Amino acid sequence: MQADGTLLLTGRDVSALLTIEECMAAVEHAFKLHGERKTQPPGILGIHADNGGFHIKAGLLDLNRSYFAAKINANFPGNPKRNGLPTIQGVVLLCDGEDGYPLAVMDSIEITTQRTGAATGVAAKYLARTDSKTVTVCGCGIQGRVSVRALSKVLPIERVFAFDIDRGQAEHLTKDLAVELGIKIESVDNLETALKQSDVCVTCTPSKQPFLNEEFIAPGTFIAAVGADNPEKQELQPTLLSRNKVVADVVEQSAAIGELHHALTAELMTREDVHAELGQVIAGIKPGRISADEIIVFDSTGMALQDVVTAATVYEKAVKDGVGTRIDFAP
């Protein structure tokens, strides 16, 4: 048994320990291992509540040691206005994969937003046109901000259109990130006009009705569909998937809770119509973009292995830097 106790890490600790560049490198590695079928299938369980829901995602990864992580997240979209609380709240339990010892318990908000944004950046690295300069981000909360940061690390972004049903959110993102990233960012009300000028689109909203229409999308666009993480959520018209190339993070998971779920329900696609999983593209098993004009949709539902590798990265840095508080759960 480990004698040094379990490390407790707050959201502030996680934020200080994890950069988007480190997270993207870690997430890319996890996807590659998954694409090479060097991992066990990750698990997911969802529970609906009146005003939101809960989900548990769990996975096991062999890195420089074996790690197991289980994330318990609450997702209540009305929280900020109704209760003054974050939309996403929860914890990640990181265990030794060899003996099960609880190595760390950490806040999940930063883990979730960073690893989700990292997946968008990694997917764009392999699926967007390398000369992509203009981005439209739909949903300008924390996830929208992290997505733009991640994209700026892999593409020569010069301009961002920020769209949100809450104009104030879009204006806050515009003001903050324009200075931070040194690029032109403007809030917009006309989504169609913005999309027709964009090379990349990221959707990270809690929408339950599709708002991204096929006729809005210019040839060659890369779309990261992030918001749909339960069967009720939907941001894209199903024809956007059925008539274009689809890459999923995990096909079975996307079929159950992602944008693919709605295309399957409408009988516009089958699972076999999905071009690849992202890990297969990263591993070179299947090709990514093969032409400048093709539209590619990344159905990002959040793979548990992203949480495992991100939590492991944070834990190892915390141990090295002496960050966090240790407790012993044993009697």
Side-chain angles (χ1 to χ4, degrees):
M1 178 178 178
Q2 309 262 347
D4 49 358
T6 301
L7 194 60
L8 299 183
L9 297 168
T10 67
R12 184 173 296 178
D13 293 332
V14 176
S15 180
L17 288 164
L18 185 66
T19 68
I20 190 62
E21 293 92 341
E22 289 169 327
C23 192
M24 287 172 66
V27 165
E28 182 173 355
H29 180 58
F31 270 115
K32 185 174 185 289
L33 290 175
H34 182 65
E36 294 170 339
R37 297 299 182 257
K38 294 179 179 178
T39 66
Q40 294 187 36
I44 181 171
L45 171 66
I47 304 292
H48 290 289
D50 288 342
N51 298 310
F54 298 86
H55 69 248
I56 301 171
K57 292 182 176 178
L60 184 70
L61 269 181
D62 286 325
L63 301 170
N64 58 347
R65 64 187 289 183
S66 180
Y67 287 107
F68 168 85
K71 182 178 73 176
I72 303 174
N73 258 9
N75 191 321
F76 285 73
N79 260 356
K81 290 186 177 180
R82 185 182 299 119
N83 303 311
L85 293 170
T87 297
I88 294 174
Q89 301 171 95
V91 295
V92 177
L93 171 65
L94 183 71
C95 297
D96 188 310
E98 295 286 340
D99 60 21
Y101 189 84
L103 299 170
V105 176
M106 62 188 76
D107 179 83
S108 72
I109 297 176
E110 194 73 10
I111 295 287
T112 300
T113 55
Q114 291 284 355
R115 64 81 152 149
T116 304
T120 294
V122 171
K125 174 181 174 181
Y126 288 90
L127 302 175
R129 298 194 330 269
T130 57
D131 62 349
S132 296
K133 297 179 180 180
T134 303
V135 174
T136 290
V137 56
C138 303
C140 298
I142 296 173
Q143 196 61 66
R145 292 166 182 249
V146 175
S147 298
V148 174
R149 290 190 185 107
L151 289 168
S152 72
K153 303 300 180 182
V154 296
L155 297 172
I157 304 301
E158 296 178 355
R159 189 179 191 186
V160 175
F161 295 115
F163 176 82
D164 198 298
I165 57 173
D166 181 347
R167 181 62 184 263
Q169 284 276 65
E171 291 175 349
H172 283 309
L173 180 148
T174 298
K175 180 180 178 181
D176 295 342
L177 288 189
V179 174
E180 176 187 330
L181 301 179
I183 57 180
K184 183 177 181 180
I185 305 179
E186 57 185 291
S187 57
V188 297
D189 294 317
N190 191 316
L191 180 58
E192 179 178 0
T193 299
L195 287 169
K196 287 182 176 178
Q197 302 175 66
S198 296
D199 307 303
V200 175
C201 174
V202 183
T203 60
C204 40
T205 78
S207 178
K208 295 183 178 181
Q209 296 292 330
F211 60 84
L212 210 66
N213 299 324
E214 185 181 12
E215 59 267 26
F216 295 178
I217 306 301
T221 300
F222 165 67
I223 301 169
V226 176
D229 58 5
N230 74 51
E232 296 182 355
K233 291 185 180 181
Q234 184 179 11
E235 299 176 306
L236 278 60
Q237 279 187 337
T239 52
L240 251 177
L241 283 76
S242 64
R243 297 176 183 173
N244 296 291
K245 179 181 284 186
V246 176
V247 175
D249 49 7
V250 182
V251 170
E252 286 305 313
Q253 190 168 293
S254 293
I257 64 173
E259 295 294 340
L260 177 61
H261 165 74
H262 300 287
L264 294 175
T265 300
E267 298 183 348
L268 295 174
M269 291 181 69
T270 66
R271 287 169 172 77
E272 289 69 32
D273 293 324
V274 176
H275 170 68
E277 291 186 335
L278 179 59
Q280 294 174 309
V281 175
I282 294 172
I285 296 168
K286 291 191 176 181
R289 177 174 291 275
I290 59 174
S291 78
D293 290 337
E294 63 182 339
I295 294 170
I296 302 179
V297 177
F298 173 50
D299 195 2
S300 178
T301 56
M303 180 176 66
L305 300 180
Q306 296 168 241
D307 298 310
V308 181
V309 75
T310 304
T313 299
V314 169
Y315 170 74
E316 291 178 0
K317 289 193 69 180
V319 171
K320 179 182 177 182
D321 296 346
V323 176
T325 303
R326 289 194 180 272
I327 65 169
D328 189 353
F329 284 112

